[in-house]
Amino acid sequence: MQYLSKWTMKRFIIYIGILVAAISCRPQHRNLQSGDLLFQVGKGSEMEQAITTATEQHNTLNFTHVGIAILKEGADSVLEATSEGGVRMTAMEEFLQRAAQDKKGRPLVVAMRLRDTAGLAASVRRARACLGLPYDYAFGPDNGKYYCSELIWENYRTPDSVRRFTARPMNFRAPDGTMPHFWVELFEQLGEPIPEGIPGTNPNGMAQDPQLQEVGRWF
């Protein structure tokens, strides 16, 4: 019996490590589809911290961002509205790398799917038509700009054009009732009032919608 050389064994170990890493980045159920919603726990930017403070729910993951899975052979992407680039298409790997990680270094991202997918393809097409539009820093409705969950709220509709998700009064305050400095400073720069109580959406609330079911996660 021949023994593997040290060089061959080293290459074999590296290959196994790459294979294990690749597998760990797939959803556990391995049935991700275009149109699934990817809910992300952010790494903790100032905006993400402000969103978490206003929308966090105890004993659950606190999602600060959501995007739409767009799957193509060898080029999986996420359609998302980001403060860095507005409505854009992002490589799946980049989207996962931006997420916070668990203790094993796996991205805290959960994939969810509508239980009723009628009209989903048309919803995704509408969302894709928004590519290039700016980010909605003002969190206002019907202004030609989008924040992450607003992109989904506006475009995910039933076949008879009814919005899938319900807008609810937005809250920007911390649990103690105070307004975080981040929001005060942001809206002062925009020259607009903080839209406290104006109907809107957020990733945490959307993720709890009973229309959605979890179909995979990366951790």
Side-chain angles (χ1 to χ4, degrees):
M1 179 177 179
Q2 290 184 320
Y3 292 92
L4 295 174
S5 69
K6 290 183 178 180
W7 171 243
T8 302
M9 179 61 75
K10 183 177 181 180
R11 292 178 64 185
F12 177 76
I13 292 173
I14 292 173
Y15 172 78
I16 292 298
I18 293 173
L19 180 61
V20 170
I23 292 174
S24 67
C25 285
R26 298 174 184 169
Q28 289 180 356
H29 297 281
R30 301 187 186 181
N31 64 341
L32 194 66
Q33 298 177 4
S34 286
D36 288 345
L37 301 181
L38 305 182
F39 290 89
Q40 180 190 86
V41 178
K43 285 185 176 179
S45 69
E46 192 172 1
M47 175 175 279
E48 288 167 337
Q49 290 172 350
I51 292 172
T52 298
T53 298
T55 67
E56 67 180 337
Q57 299 182 27
H58 296 298
N59 301 318
T60 65
L61 289 170
N62 289 305
F63 300 112
T64 58
H65 186 57
V66 59
I68 302 168
I70 305 293
L71 306 187
K72 289 185 177 181
E73 187 67 30
D76 293 348
S77 302
V78 180
L79 176 60
E80 58 176 348
T82 72
S83 57
E84 295 83 9
V87 182
R88 68 180 189 180
M89 199 72 74
T90 302
M92 180 72 71
E93 182 179 358
E94 178 185 337
F95 183 87
L96 296 175
Q97 288 175 346
R98 290 207 322 264
Q101 299 178 344
D102 68 2
K103 293 181 179 180
K104 295 183 178 180
R106 298 173 298 188
L108 297 177
V109 175
V110 174
M112 296 189 183
R113 181 176 303 152
L114 287 168
R115 298 179 188 276
D116 177 6
T117 58
L120 181 58
S123 295
V124 173
R125 285 196 298 271
R126 278 192 294 269
R128 291 188 70 140
C130 298
L131 280 167
L133 292 178
Y135 186 77
D136 187 5
Y137 287 99
F139 296 90
D142 305 319
N143 59 5
K145 305 175 183 180
Y146 293 98
Y147 55 89
C148 66
S149 56
E150 183 184 22
L151 178 67
I152 295 159
W153 171 78
E154 176 62 38
N155 294 292
Y156 270 52
R157 298 174 181 247
T158 64
D160 52 354
S161 296
V162 176
R163 289 189 176 97
R164 290 279 188 182
F165 299 98
T166 302
R168 304 184 187 283
M170 289 189 290
N171 171 60
F172 291 82
R173 296 185 180 277
D176 63 2
T178 60
M179 186 63 69
H181 178 70
F182 175 85
W183 297 125
V184 174
E185 188 175 72
L186 172 63
F187 285 96
E188 283 180 352
Q189 292 175 357
L190 294 174
E192 298 187 22
I194 297 173
E196 180 76 12
I198 299 297
T201 61
N202 66 75
N204 244 359
M206 187 172 284
Q208 303 303 315
D209 195 297
Q211 296 180 86
L212 296 173
Q213 59 182 334
E214 181 177 328
V215 294
R217 55 176 57 196
W218 277 258
F219 58 95

